[in-house]
Amino acid sequence: MAGMDEFALIRMLTSAAGRPGEERAAETARGDGVRVGIGDDAAVVGVRPGMELVLTCDTMVEGVHFKAETMKPEDVGYKALASNVSDMAAMGAMPRYALVSISVPMQVSEGWLTLVYRGIYECADEYGVAIVGGDTTSSLSGFVISITLIGEAEAGRALLRSSAEQGDLVFVTGELGGSAAGLHWLLQHGIDASRIGESAALTAEVEELIHCHQRPVPEVELGRLLLKSGARIALNDVSDGLASEAWELAEASGVSLVLYEDKLPAAKALLHYAAEVGRNPLDWILYGGEDYRLVGTISRDRAEELSQLFAANGRALYVIGEVASGLPGVRLLSKNGGSTDIDKRGYNHFK
Amino acid sequence: MAGMDEFALIRMLTSAAGRPGEERAAETARGDGVRVGIGDDAAVVGVRPGMELVLTCDTMVEGVHFKAETMKPEDVGYKALASNVSDMAAMGAMPRYALVSISVPMQVSEGWLTLVYRGIYECADEYGVAIVGGDTTSSLSGFVISITLIGEAEAGRALLRSSAEQGDLVFVTGELGGSAAGLHWLLQHGIDASRIGESAALTAEVEELIHCHQRPVPEVELGRLLLKSGARIALNDVSDGLASEAWELAEASGVSLVLYEDKLPAAKALLHYAAEVGRNPLDWILYGGEDYRLVGTISRDRAEELSQLFAANGRALYVIGEVASGLPGVRLLSKNGGSTDIDKRGYNHFK
């Protein structure tokens, strides 16, 4: 890819990403509020009155966060943006504008890059994000993609990690551990075996786990519901694993969290696969990251109301624990009444 | 650096960057408008009324944009932010918030990283930028730093590349080619020889060229002067070389640019060094990038006024050419009356 003019490359990629003939539109007018898109020294965008900016940034490195055996190029692009969108969800914010910086090894083909951008745009379209800029450089080894996402939240109302108080309930918005289990399968069997009809090992349940890993679903709508409820909510997204995220809530709020082992939601697919390969599903549930569910705390007197609000939107609020006093920490109460201190370690893809 | 908690690392770096005891301040309250800084899922910042956002992103890759022989770690950090600040200058915008994403090889020491952050903060302090977030990942090979900078400009008034019209004058805000000449010296002699007193080859002039390469000076104040003048101005910054930037203005505006060879400003240090090593200084002036001067066009009837405005601020507006009609392109009129088409190729660090 060396020597190609940067804007020409981005134009090619944005137009090739399923947008023949819409090149200018893709550059300059995707989404409300974009006055100047890709092609000048910087993009120029608007902010709605009464809103604050919410800013986040996530980087994925080949060999560290993904490998050719675990992610197709479309998935790399999709997930690179989705992980940022999930940070917006965790603030109760609306994603709006993104800048995409890629570092590209010589051996990468235009075709492969085009698929990465197709994935990025697929996610951008789903969540109403306009790609307004970025940078393209060479890489001496693997592919690196770094996305900055700019969103908006009503001034003073973004949901922080520091709002938890003793007596609150701890909740998550969905099942956990699926992504790590999907990755486990992919590392055993390789991505080619994940194509339907090509592997006897591929069941609908395994497919579900692989999908969790490759195509996570950030919870922007639920984040918005939580912000709009006006309740005092501490919020985080499960990017590094429940244990690590619970620790972050505990530390930011100066409280300790108690989680009930028997309340942690896990998909049947996860439980079956864990049994099949002789693994403790709890490892994936607590330490498997990239589930991109929301985890948070809510005062007891608002929990029922929020639960009904979730139900009205076809979703469930899973209460998984409570907030206690004491030094920041996380404890797990097991089914048999035992209690274990949960350490803070997060997710490591390939260890 | 593997295994270190990301926020702990960033806290260490931001506090170690010359800010003992000011850790919280560095995280959350640097600069006006920062409501939530490093440490949550995303930062939350304000935007002043009547302003639009200006967004840009630049990535520096070890071995592609710098080497240990050409840049000290402080310079890497400083320049990574400075190149973004220069994009703001090229829009007439004020830089405000930055997110810093780094990918770090195993062999990098905490000390080295701390120096990179010291350089970032040095530049941030100089230009009033608050570092509000970022991401830290491992790298399997070289160090990669990607910075996104968010600035503000008065709504509808950012200076674009597309405003040039036939008859306008072309200007630059300072001398060109110094950065490439400094890089040339560094590649011949190595960074250790650049330390004062350690090399007979090091003269004040060479020092000046090295400084151009390692510590560029983005022209935010001049960009603001130009925007506030209210004149119709097309603007760009010289990151990839004058030839390439002039082409971008020509293409964005649908005009051709004629540059006068004998008007191109070059430092004496550059001319002397070029003569010493038997190089044509014009190569560095036209194709040497990273000078981070501004290049633009201005209508003839406003040029004198702007020139006086620059002079009142202790600076010079160098008129280097004019805007002609015809297909987009760039021509150089030489001293002897000859005319050469200038091709679009940009800056390549190590070729």
Side-chain angles (χ1 to χ4, degrees), chain A residues 291-346:
Chain A
D291 288 315
Y292 296 114
R293 306 297 189 173
L294 299 177
V295 54
T297 68
I298 172 88
S299 62
R300 277 170 205 268
D301 60 331
R302 302 294 298 269
E304 181 53 29
E305 172 199 336
L306 268 193
S307 183
Q308 286 174 14
L309 194 61
F310 270 50
N313 284 272
R315 298 293 303 269
L317 186 82
Y318 299 85
V319 172
I320 61 166
E322 60 193 294
V323 179
S325 61
L327 286 178
V330 179
R331 256 183 321 131
L332 185 71
L333 291 190
S334 69
K335 296 164 200 172
N336 57 30
S339 160
T340 322
D341 285 335
I342 297 297
D343 67 16
K344 208 182 160 179
R345 73 185 156 91

Side-chain angles (χ1 to χ4, degrees), chain A residues 2 5-7 11 33 35-36 39-47 51-65 86-88 90-91 97-103 132-135 137-142 144 146-150 154-162 235-237 239-240 245 248 251-252 344 351, chain B residues 2 5-7 11 33 35-36 39-47 51-65 86-88 90-91 97-103 132-135 137-142 144 146-150 154-162 235-237 239-240 245 248 251-252 344 351:
Chain A
D5 169 71
E6 180 181 332
F7 291 128
R11 264 194 290 273
R35 201 167 74 77
V36 180
D40 214 301
D41 296 294
V44 182
V45 303
V47 181
M51 293 292 182
E52 280 176 332
L53 290 183
V54 183
L55 310 172
T56 190
C57 171
D58 248 319
T59 300
M60 279 171 49
V61 180
E62 186 176 350
V64 177
H65 301 93
S86 182
D87 282 324
M88 288 292 140
M91 303 296 282
Y97 311 113
L99 296 99
V100 179
S101 174
I102 53 174
S103 298
V132 296
D135 195 13
T137 61
S138 306
S139 164
L140 295 188
S141 60
V144 180
S146 182
I147 298 187
T148 296
L149 182 61
I150 291 111
E154 291 75 5
R157 294 184 58 190
L159 299 174
L160 310 185
R161 295 175 181 167
S162 51
L235 200 60
N236 213 342
D237 69 320
S239 47
D240 288 331
E245 312 300 342
E248 287 178 355
E251 290 187 319
K344 208 182 160 179
K351 274 180 189 167
Chain B
D5 169 72
E6 180 181 333
F7 292 129
R11 264 192 292 271
R35 201 168 74 77
V36 180
D40 214 301
D41 296 293
V44 182
V45 302
V47 181
M51 294 291 183
E52 280 176 332
L53 290 183
V54 183
L55 310 172
T56 191
C57 172
D58 248 318
T59 300
M60 278 172 49
V61 180
E62 186 178 350
V64 177
H65 300 93
S86 183
D87 282 324
M88 287 293 140
M91 304 296 282
Y97 310 113
L99 296 100
V100 178
S101 175
I102 53 174
S103 298
V132 296
D135 195 12
T137 61
S138 306
S139 164
L140 295 188
S141 59
V144 180
S146 182
I147 298 187
T148 296
L149 183 60
I150 291 113
E154 290 75 4
R157 292 183 58 188
L159 299 174
L160 310 185
R161 295 175 181 168
S162 52
L235 200 61
N236 213 343
D237 69 320
S239 47
D240 288 332
E245 312 301 342
E248 287 178 355
E251 290 186 319
K344 208 182 163 179
K351 273 180 190 169

Side-chain angles (χ1 to χ4, degrees), chain A residues 99-282:
Chain A
L99 296 99
V100 179
S101 174
I102 53 174
S103 298
V104 186
M106 287 296 289
Q107 66 274 20
V108 158
S109 71
E110 274 184 33
W112 191 89
L113 258 195
T114 302
L115 292 174
V116 170
Y117 269 79
R118 189 165 293 172
I120 294 171
Y121 273 99
E122 218 181 301
C123 185
D125 288 344
E126 226 158 289
Y127 289 92
V129 173
I131 311 294
V132 296
D135 195 13
T136 307
T137 61
S138 306
S139 164
L140 295 188
S141 60
F143 182 73
V144 180
I145 180 164
S146 182
I147 298 187
T148 296
L149 182 61
I150 291 111
E152 288 177 344
E154 291 75 5
R157 294 184 58 190
L159 299 174
L160 310 185
R161 295 175 181 167
S162 51
S163 308
E165 292 180 9
Q166 185 186 351
D168 287 355
L169 297 176
V170 181
F171 66 85
V172 291
T173 59
E175 293 158 344
L176 299 169
S179 174
L183 175 62
H184 182 272
W185 191 93
L186 285 165
L187 288 173
Q188 305 295 314
H189 298 84
I191 199 166
D192 289 336
S194 76
R195 294 177 210 280
I196 295 168
E198 289 177 27
S199 167
L202 193 76
T203 63
E205 284 191 346
V206 164
E207 229 181 300
E208 180 188 327
L209 298 173
I210 292 171
H211 194 80
C212 286
H213 182 69
Q214 295 177 336
R215 294 288 175 131
V217 181
E219 309 263 42
V220 174
E221 277 182 40
L222 294 184
R224 295 294 295 157
L225 273 187
L226 292 168
L227 179 144
K228 287 180 186 166
S229 75
R232 176 181 50 72
I233 288 166
L235 200 60
N236 213 342
D237 69 320
V238 182
S239 47
D240 288 331
L242 178 63
S244 166
E245 312 300 342
W247 260 99
E248 287 178 355
L249 289 166
E251 290 187 319
S253 298
V255 295
S256 76
L257 266 57
V258 180
L259 307 181
Y260 315 129
E261 185 181 342
D262 61 349
K263 300 281 188 188
L264 299 176
K268 281 209 183 89
L270 174 82
L271 301 175
H272 292 167
Y273 180 64
E276 190 188 313
V277 296
R279 292 285 293 253
N280 181 355
L282 198 59

Side-chain angles (χ1 to χ4, degrees), chain A residues 56-93:
Chain A
T56 190
C57 171
D58 248 319
T59 300
M60 279 171 49
V61 180
E62 186 176 350
V64 177
H65 301 93
F66 67 92
K67 294 179 177 179
E69 304 93 273
T70 63
M71 300 268 282
K72 298 187 292 293
E74 309 91 294
D75 301 327
V76 171
Y78 192 97
K79 193 165 173 176
L81 181 53
S83 67
N84 280 288
V85 170
S86 182
D87 282 324
M88 288 292 140
M91 303 296 282

